[in-house]
Amino acid sequence: MATRRRNVLVIVAVAELLTMSLWFSATAVAPELAASWDLTSTETTWSTNAVQSGFVAGGLLSSFFTLSGVIRPRYLFAGSAVAGAVCTALIAGVVTSALPAIGLRLCTGVALAGVYPPGMTILAGWFEEGRGFAIGLLIGALTVGSALPHLFRGVGDPELVLYGAAIIATLGGLLALFVEPGPHQAPAAPFDPGALGRILRARPTMLANGGYFGHMWELYAVWTWIPTFLAASLAASGSAGAGAGLGSLLAFDTIAIGGTGAVLAGSAATAGVEPA
């Protein structure tokens, strides 16, 4: 059983890492896309914000229709990963203007809402002991995966970033198909509109939700902003001649280092609630 759990953890973490490359795939090449399509600054901003908006919408829709109960998590993960990959490939190969790009990025965010939560569900079903470490590793994989487009941009052209993210996300979705439900898999609860009122009246839950909301608002703002900041810093220091590659590699390092913190925090959480 221990070997099976370890294999599941590795497969799901790798699948998550590969698939989450879709999140910032267009953001990593936003300057090139804006120049190629003659986008305004507002249109460029919305091409990034659309992913976050789509993720929220996808999460709400998934909860309302209890998709995790209707569709097995591994199938939901795989289908969502491929859908997001198709949207990204279309941006690279077909789109030439702002509106379809924003629409496809919105759909990518909706698709990713079918990747991250099911990944957590799968691991929670396999890990009762050691769940903190397992979830920490998954979040670490998500972090490094989110940074991957900047690594691609540092070593290749914009098309490589978009097509590369689409290809590896598809591989990530296929990997998820190899994971069976675990022995601790909890059944999905039906959607209950009355739960909203109970949540709003539960102070501990609202404090946790507020902290998570503030944390994610700050985190994704920094992840989105840091490549622009680094490019401006290099230009101001006279290092702009190093090209976009150096800034992209530094952006990858800045974001991906958070994966280490996630794994360490998950390990600490497990150590804090389980006997040594």
Side-chain angles (χ1 to χ4, degrees):
M1 178 62 75
T3 300
R4 287 188 69 190
R5 290 199 311 163
R6 184 168 58 249
N7 291 341
V8 167
L9 179 58
V10 171
I11 291 172
V12 174
V14 172
E16 188 83 20
L17 185 152
L18 297 177
T19 306
M20 289 306 295
S21 65
L22 297 173
W23 193 292
F24 287 109
S25 56
T27 304
V29 295
E32 290 85 356
L33 294 180
S36 176
W37 300 343
D38 195 24
L39 302 184
T40 66
S41 59
T42 300
E43 289 171 337
T44 302
T45 299
W46 272 108
S47 69
T48 296
N49 290 343
V51 182
Q52 284 87 322
S53 300
F55 185 84
V56 173
L60 291 173
L61 289 171
S62 178
S63 298
F64 184 83
F65 291 107
T66 60
L67 292 184
S68 60
V70 176
I71 306 172
R72 283 193 175 189
R74 60 174 175 165
Y75 295 135
L76 182 58
F77 189 118
S80 298
V82 172
V86 170
C87 291
T88 301
L90 286 174
I91 293 175
V94 177
V95 173
T96 58
S97 60
L99 190 59
I102 292 170
L104 286 169
R105 293 300 285 161
L106 183 74
C107 292
T108 300
V110 173
L112 289 175
V115 171
Y116 174 36
M120 296 185 72
T121 300
I122 292 170
L123 288 188
W126 277 98
F127 287 86
E128 193 169 51
E129 295 181 359
R131 185 173 290 174
F133 172 75
I135 297 301
L137 183 63
L138 185 72
I139 303 301
L142 176 152
T143 303
V144 177
S146 298
L148 272 181
H150 297 292
L151 178 62
F152 291 165
R153 182 64 190 92
V155 298
D157 58 30
E159 284 193 353
L160 170 67
V161 176
L162 294 168
Y163 282 126
I167 291 169
I168 66 173
T170 301
L171 293 176
L174 294 177
L175 274 177
L177 294 175
F178 291 92
V179 181
E180 293 284 349
H184 310 295
Q185 193 81 59
F191 181 73
D192 178 9
L196 179 59
R198 295 193 296 273
I199 290 172
L200 293 174
R201 291 190 296 271
R203 187 171 182 271
T205 301
M206 288 304 297
L207 288 173
N209 287 340
Y212 185 80
F213 174 79
H215 157 67
M216 296 308 293
W217 184 280
E218 177 186 46
L219 179 65
Y220 276 83
V222 170
W223 283 3
T224 303
W225 166 79
I226 197 66
T228 302
F229 167 78
L230 289 169
S233 296
L234 289 171
S237 67
S239 301
L246 177 58
S248 295
L249 291 174
L250 290 173
F252 168 78
D253 292 338
T254 304
I255 297 170
I257 193 64
T260 303
V263 175
L264 291 176
S267 299
T270 294
V273 297
E274 295 177 4

